Amino acid sequence: APNPSFLFMGERHGEALAHLQFGLGETGGFVLLTGEVGTGKTTLCRRMLEQLPETVEVAFILNPTLSERELLASICDELKIRYQKTKASIKDLTDKITDRLLKNHEKGIKTVLIIDEAQHLRPEVLEQLRLLTNLETNADKLLKVIIIGQPELQQLLKRQELRQLAQRITARYHLLPLTEQEVSHYIHHRLQVAGCERQLFTRKAIKYIHQLSNGIPRLINLLCDRALLGAFAQRAPV
């Protein structure tokens, strides 16, 4: 589970978080965060959400396999905007979202849309997102959008019909796997958060875990969990 309290804030994750925060600044439009499966993108995003002030309203979309209308309806649901479930058109939904963005701006509230697993978005849905960000003041976009996805999202954004959206990305970061040294710090960090002050894994074991996992945090978690479970089953001393 993407529990932010277990997030290991190594150098790369720290840089990624800084890019997300920079992208949400006054002039930010789109922010792009990519990385291989299991590198901690969603956990990192949840940590960022914990740090946002109360003057930020967030819509979090976890299922991006949506049509244009379904995406707009999902945004309305997340922002608790009332609309006619069966009759609302794309224009109706867009108008309601626009009205909320303007009211939030008048109240000094920023509106942020976060879309996870965004590599599944269809080009026409991404274009609809771009149109939503057209609303702006002289100094600020009224809707900030964070799109999170696997490396193929970068290839999707290179398509000719999405060039206008790609040009609006003000901050982008690709989250790389952990090095062997970082794997050691990562394991020790998670043990500490769980209440264990001792280093249960030998240097040789950590090296082997790094080789098997290729530095992917989710795989490191699975390998360590199974190793500890196996040691418990065999009543091995620790």
Side-chain angles (χ1 to χ4, degrees):
N3 186 343
S5 64
F6 278 89
L7 178 65
F8 170 68
M9 193 57 68
E11 181 179 353
R12 293 169 183 175
H13 283 76
E15 288 178 352
L17 183 60
H19 276 73
L20 290 177
Q21 293 169 335
F22 171 78
L24 294 179
E26 292 301 313
T27 59
F30 281 89
V31 183
L32 174 66
L33 175 64
T34 56
E36 290 292 346
V37 176
T39 48
K41 302 182 298 295
T42 302
T43 308
L44 191 67
C45 190
R46 291 187 184 277
R47 167 61 66 85
M48 182 202 68
L49 289 176
E50 287 185 340
Q51 299 175 352
L52 291 178
E54 294 182 356
T55 53
V56 177
E57 187 172 30
V58 178
F60 203 150
I61 308 296
L62 295 171
N63 175 25
T65 54
L66 305 167
S67 67
E68 296 155 90
R69 184 189 179 281
E70 289 170 337
L71 174 70
L72 294 173
S74 295
I75 295 172
C76 287
D77 291 338
E78 284 289 305
L79 297 178
K80 295 180 174 56
I81 299 172
R82 299 180 65 180
Y83 63 97
Q84 291 184 320
K85 300 291 184 181
T86 57
K87 297 181 180 180
S89 65
I90 288 179
K91 183 182 183 306
D92 293 333
L93 295 169
T94 301
D95 288 346
K96 287 183 175 295
I97 293 171
T98 299
D99 184 59
R100 170 61 65 83
L101 294 177
L102 288 169
K103 287 181 178 178
N104 279 355
H105 179 67
E106 291 172 0
K107 297 176 183 177
I109 297 174
K110 290 185 178 181
T111 312
V112 177
L113 170 62
I114 302 173
I115 302 182
D116 205 354
E117 301 294 344
Q119 72 275 0
H120 297 302
L121 288 173
R122 288 180 284 187
E124 60 269 24
V125 178
L126 282 166
E127 176 61 14
Q128 183 66 53
L129 279 177
R130 184 189 70 81
L131 294 174
L132 275 180
T133 63
N134 278 343
L135 194 62
E136 58 191 2
T137 66
N138 289 336
D140 195 16
K141 293 284 186 184
L142 299 190
L143 178 66
K144 322 285 185 179
V145 182
I146 298 176
I147 45 179
I148 305 169
Q150 296 168 24
E152 48 265 41
L153 177 58
Q154 295 179 354
Q155 299 302 315
L156 176 61
L157 292 173
K158 290 179 180 178
R159 295 176 62 156
Q160 180 69 12
E161 65 266 36
L162 295 175
R163 65 189 183 280
Q164 292 189 66
L165 188 154
Q167 291 171 358
R168 291 191 181 184
I169 297 175
T170 55
R172 60 180 73 208
Y173 193 86
H174 182 70
L175 196 56
L176 294 172
L178 303 178
T179 64
E180 184 178 325
Q181 184 180 19
E182 288 174 325
V183 169
S184 177
H185 295 318
Y186 175 81
I187 293 173
H188 184 59
H189 166 76
R190 289 187 68 93
L191 286 171
Q192 279 189 317
V193 174
C196 178
E197 295 297 330
R198 291 178 295 158
Q199 180 59 279
L200 300 181
F201 293 85
T202 65
R203 186 174 299 177
K204 183 178 179 181
I206 290 173
K207 183 176 182 179
Y208 191 40
I209 289 170
H210 176 253
Q211 290 174 350
L212 291 175
S213 66
N214 291 318
I216 302 295
R218 185 180 297 167
L219 297 180
I220 295 169
N221 296 347
L222 290 171
L223 288 167
C224 291
D225 180 71
R226 297 303 184 272
L228 292 171
L229 182 61
F232 171 77
Q234 296 175 15
R235 299 182 181 276
V238 294

